[in-house]
Amino acid sequence: MKIAVIALGKIGLPLAVQFASKGHDVVGVDVSQPTVDLINQGVEPFPGEAHLQEKLSELVPAGRLRATTDYADAVPGADAVVLVVPLFVDEQTAEPDFGWMDAATRSLGAVLTPGTLISYETTLPVGTTRTRWKPLLEEVSGLREGVDFDLVFSPERVLTGRVFADLRKYPKLVGGLSERGAARAVEFYRAVLDFDERDDLPRPNGVWDLGSAEAAELAKLAETTYRDVNIGLANQFARYAATAGIDVYQVIEASNSQPYSHIHQPGIAVGGHCIPVYPRLYLWTDPEATVVAAARAANAGMPDYTIGLLEGAYGDLTGARVVVLGAAYRGGVKETAFSGVFGAVEALAARGATPLVHDPLYTDEELTRLGFTPYHLGEPADAAVVQADHAEYRELGPDDLPGIRAFIDGRRVSDASRWPDVAYRVIGMAIPA
């Protein structure tokens, strides 16, 4: 097959590589010329994705994969087009911003040729494929969906850093606007993906047709919103347990020993492109979902709550040099999308502290561009808050943060024995008398 992949980011590029590795001819489209140039040189444009570089080094010289900024170079004559263009959520209004996706859809429609299968993989509010993309594609292309081309939704379900493993591990969900489109999508994804055998699923691992685009859209929102609600509940348990002299981690471990309990772990923040974003997409179409809204509010409030723990352990924070350990939203991933670092720095500044930020994945220049004052281990500090669970932070001790009086472990990466004569606190554990 000839396949076009629109947007060569941390999901789109591995997808393009996966398709090409199955013997298909793949052309990727991206708005960034530097990204396109690197890919055409066989060089990964971003670090951290397992096996990506080795696969690029094989596929690009073999002519199986190339990149372009020109839709007209990639789309006409394609058997399938897969879009993984980012969808953003306004941080103030929590409404989806379709700007980039609208532009990509118009560019696609302008060069669309009959017979193409189009699959959107970007997570969307329920109904978007049918009520937004179908009419927009038909308007721009002059073609009819279900007659001249087929349109489906098939959500990406992978995590950056392990995309190729996740593509094999999880069923590929598809939902079409017609039976023909759904059947084509099932055939397409079976031809470009491989699946691990799993005996824990109700049906064989592989491509699952959910019957409609709306069902596939909701499935992605549901699985991610579940995690946000679960974490919000864990954070509520943690805040109560701390006031009642209870170790919430023992409680969660005990509760989860029963097979119907799957309580997640509490922590300083829920970050990334997915968990804090997709519940807002769900709420956009179901504003009466009070459970979802309450969980989102609970999780959004955790950075300020954690700085409150620091204030209780340290005292007045006015003028204190406080190090936030971790700009990334999670350990080992160089990404700050909705990271708890922003809320933590804001809460520290509101209390009169001097916030400093350390992250082993970021240079001083990068931290400065994010609006932070960089910190280097070994410099004087009054207190520290763990925001990201980087492996490096498991080995920290007072010598790394000279002068430290309080250490708030927002990710439970350390333990009190490493911090003698320092006020050590963990979210969800009883505060020492």
Side-chain angles (χ1 to χ4, degrees):
M1 288 184 290
K2 178 183 177 182
I3 303 170
V5 176
I6 311 300
L8 300 174
K10 293 185 177 180
I11 304 298
L13 180 56
L15 275 180
V17 166
Q18 170 64 32
F19 301 162
S21 72
K22 294 291 288 183
H24 304 287
D25 294 320
V26 181
V27 182
V29 181
D30 200 272
V31 295
S32 169
Q33 187 66 55
T35 296
V36 166
D37 291 342
L38 284 172
I39 293 169
N40 287 333
Q41 295 166 24
V43 177
E44 59 180 350
F46 44 81
E49 186 57 55
H51 309 298
L52 180 59
Q53 181 57 62
E54 62 189 79
K55 291 176 183 289
L56 283 172
S57 298
E58 173 189 350
L59 295 166
V60 173
R64 286 295 186 190
L65 173 66
R66 63 182 179 88
T68 180
T69 59
D70 185 4
Y71 281 75
D73 181 25
V75 173
D79 296 291
V81 177
V82 174
L83 292 92
V84 205
V85 178
L87 171 64
F88 298 100
V89 173
D90 187 280
E91 293 194 33
Q92 303 301 320
T93 65
E95 293 188 354
D97 178 357
F98 290 102
W100 283 26
M101 294 197 75
D102 283 343
T105 300
R106 288 185 176 278
S107 296
L108 166 60
V111 293
L112 183 63
T113 51
T116 303
L117 169 70
I118 300 172
S119 177
Y120 282 80
E121 292 212 8
T122 305
T123 305
L124 300 169
V126 174
T128 305
T129 305
R130 189 181 304 272
T131 63
R132 193 180 192 97
W133 305 141
K134 174 183 174 177
L136 185 55
L137 286 167
E138 291 181 332
E139 172 194 338
V140 176
S141 69
L143 303 175
R144 290 180 296 167
E145 193 280 326
V147 177
D148 303 308
F149 69 93
D150 293 293
L151 178 59
V152 302
F153 178 73
S154 179
E156 56 85 6
R157 308 178 72 201
V158 297
L159 281 179
T160 56
R162 64 183 205 199
V163 171
F164 297 111
D166 284 353
L167 284 172
R168 298 180 61 97
K169 187 175 182 180
Y170 306 127
K172 185 60 173 156
L173 311 180
V174 299
L177 300 188
S178 69
E179 290 187 11
R180 188 186 80 171
R184 289 189 66 191
V186 170
E187 181 182 8
F188 167 72
Y189 281 112
R190 283 177 176 168
V192 296
L193 299 176
D194 297 298
F195 296 96
D196 296 332
E197 290 189 13
R198 289 180 55 182
D199 58 10
D200 61 321
L201 298 174
R203 48 177 153 155
N205 193 10
V207 186
W208 292 7
D209 179 6
L210 297 193
S212 70
E214 288 79 8
E217 289 165 339
L218 180 56
K220 179 56 189 285
L221 293 177
E223 69 185 30
T224 310
T225 299
Y226 160 79
R227 295 175 65 193
D228 196 46
V229 171
N230 194 316
I231 296 168
L233 183 61
N235 281 328
Q236 291 283 293
F237 288 155
R239 294 173 68 155
Y240 169 72
T243 66
I246 298 168
D247 180 345
V248 78
Y249 299 95
Q250 286 191 356
V251 170
I252 292 174
E253 182 180 49
S255 298
N256 289 352
S257 66
Q258 198 263 15
Y260 300 104
S261 180
H262 307 282
I263 304 170
H264 291 357
Q265 297 293 300
I268 183 174
V270 178
H273 292 286
C274 302
I275 302 179
V277 175
Y278 299 157
R280 304 180 197 205
L281 298 183
Y282 178 79
L283 286 165
W284 193 59
T285 53
D286 184 11
E288 301 304 314
T290 55
V291 172
V292 177
R296 184 85 294 277
N299 289 334
M302 286 305 292
D304 185 74
Y305 169 80
T306 305
I307 301 307
L309 288 181
L310 171 62
E311 192 173 35
Y314 182 89
D316 186 359
L317 291 171
T318 303
R321 287 170 52 87
V322 181
V323 181
V324 179
L325 294 166
Y329 78 87
R330 68 180 173 97
V333 175
K334 191 175 181 180
E335 177 59 70
T336 60
F338 291 91
S339 171
V341 68
F342 300 104
V345 166
E346 181 181 352
L348 286 167
R351 289 168 170 83
T354 300
L356 311 168
V357 176
H358 174 272
D359 195 300
L361 302 181
Y362 288 82
T363 65
D364 285 1
E365 181 182 358
E366 289 171 326
L367 290 174
T368 300
R369 283 203 302 266
L370 288 167
F372 305 136
T373 302
Y375 171 83
H376 311 95
L377 296 176
E379 295 176 348
D382 297 308
V385 178
V386 177
Q387 195 286 132
D389 55 340
H390 291 311
E392 294 88 339
Y393 295 156
R394 300 183 183 281
E395 305 302 321
L396 292 182
D399 291 343
D400 299 302
L401 299 153
I404 190 171
R405 287 171 41 194
F407 186 90
I408 310 302
D409 194 348
R411 297 293 184 184
R412 202 185 175 210
V413 300
S414 190
D415 62 76
S417 65
R418 301 188 70 89
W419 302 95
D421 304 318
V422 174
Y424 176 81
R425 302 284 188 273
V426 180
I427 294 171
M429 295 185 70
I431 298 172

